[in-house]
Amino acid sequence: QSALTQPPSASGSPGQSVTISCTGTSSDVGGYNHVSWYQHHPGKAPQLMIYEVSKRPSGVPDRFSGSKSGNTASLTVSGLRAEDEADYYCGSYAGSNTWVFGGGTKVTVL
Amino acid sequence: EVQLVESGGGLVQPGGSLRLSCAASGFTFSTNWMNWARQAPGKGLEWVAFIKGGGSEKYYVDSVKGRFTISRDNAKNTLYLQMNSLRAEDTAVYYCVKDGNWAFEFWGQGTLVTVSS
C-alpha cells in the first residue's frame, strides 16, 4: 500500500496546458483501469474529475482529460483558468479491495 | 442532491477512542459502497477503510487494521468509523466518501480529528 508518485508542483499561464503524472506499479496503476483524479481546493471537499483512466463525470469540463501508459497515468488540464489552481491527486485500485492515492500535485496558474 | 455530513471529530489523547458518523442523503445508501479517507496536516489523501452495501465486507489500510472499525446502519443512512488506540499520526481531516464507478465519487466536507496530549 505505497503511495503513488506525483510531482509536488506544476504550473502554467492562463490558456496553456499542464500535465500531471502519476506513477505506480503493476499492482495498482498498471494492473487495473481503475485510475481516478481528484481536484482539491484546501478547506473544501475533494471533487472527482476523472474516473476509469479517462472518463469525465457529468459537469466536469472537457478541458480535463486523462490517460495511462504502463504504470503511469496522466491528467492534462487544457486552457488553464484561474479556478483550476488547486491540489490534484491521483488514485488507483490496488487489488484485494484496497485503494491508494498519490502524494498530490499543487497546480499554480501563473 | 447527494449530501454527506460527517460529525464526531475532536481532540482526543493518545490511546483514546473516537467514533465518527456520516449522515448520507440524496441517494440509495443501502446499495452503495462507502469509504473513509483522511488527510493529515500538510500531507496527501489516504484511503482508510471501505465497506460494501450489505455491511458484511470491510477492508482497511494496513496502518489502521485492528484499531479502526468501519460500519453502517442502512436503516439510518449512516456510516461510522470507530477509532481505538489512537496515535498522533492519526491526526487528520477524515472524509466520508461515496463509491461509484470504481472511484471516490462524492466526498463530504470532512471532520477534524486531533490526537494530542
Side-chain angles (χ1 to χ4, degrees):
Chain A
Q1 295 173 335
S2 298
L4 306 175
T5 301
Q6 296 182 234
S9 63
S11 62
S13 299
Q16 290 186 332
S17 295
V18 64
T19 297
I20 303 166
S21 62
C22 169
T23 301
T25 69
S26 58
S27 297
D28 37 62
V29 174
Y32 308 93
N33 283 327
H34 303 315
V35 177
S36 47
W37 290 90
Y38 305 87
Q39 179 189 67
H40 188 201
H41 290 104
K44 295 194 173 182
Q47 179 184 355
L48 175 65
M49 306 302 285
I50 296 287
Y51 66 97
E52 291 184 3
V53 176
S54 60
K55 298 179 181 179
R56 280 186 309 277
S58 174
V60 173
D62 60 6
R63 302 185 295 103
F64 292 85
S65 62
S67 63
K68 189 185 84 166
S69 178
N71 296 337
T72 298
S74 298
L75 172 73
T76 297
V77 185
S78 305
L80 268 175
R81 304 175 66 163
E83 59 262 37
D84 298 333
E85 185 161 297
D87 298 322
Y88 290 82
Y89 293 89
C90 61
S92 176
Y93 181 65
S96 302
N97 291 293
T98 65
W99 278 259
V100 63
F101 286 103
T105 298
K106 181 176 180 59
V107 169
T108 301
V109 181
L110 302 171
Chain B
E1 177 192 6
V2 173
Q3 286 200 329
L4 298 170
V5 180
E6 302 95 337
S7 60
L11 175 63
V12 61
Q13 293 189 337
S17 298
L18 212 55
R19 189 177 84 154
L20 306 183
S21 299
C22 170
S25 61
F27 64 101
T28 306
F29 181 72
S30 61
T31 60
N32 276 269
W33 299 355
M34 297 294 296
N35 296 269
W36 287 99
R38 66 186 178 182
Q39 183 176 32
K43 303 292 186 181
L45 298 173
E46 180 181 37
W47 169 75
V48 173
F50 161 66
I51 186 169
K52 291 193 176 180
S56 60
E57 292 189 60
K58 308 172 186 184
Y59 302 89
Y60 303 90
V61 68
D62 285 346
S63 60
V64 309
K65 282 180 182 176
R67 301 188 299 123
F68 289 12
T69 301
I70 188 172
S71 63
R72 62 194 300 161
D73 185 336
N74 287 340
K76 295 182 178 180
N77 287 350
T78 302
L79 179 73
Y80 301 101
L81 185 67
Q82 177 66 44
M83 303 185 294
N84 299 330
S85 302
L86 282 161
R87 306 166 180 168
E89 54 264 36
D90 295 318
T91 294
V93 175
Y94 284 75
Y95 295 98
C96 169
V97 193
K98 174 184 175 296
D99 199 278
N101 294 310
W102 292 88
F104 295 82
E105 185 179 49
F106 193 84
W107 300 62
Q109 293 285 341
T111 186
L112 176 63
V113 172
T114 303
V115 184
S116 175
S117 55

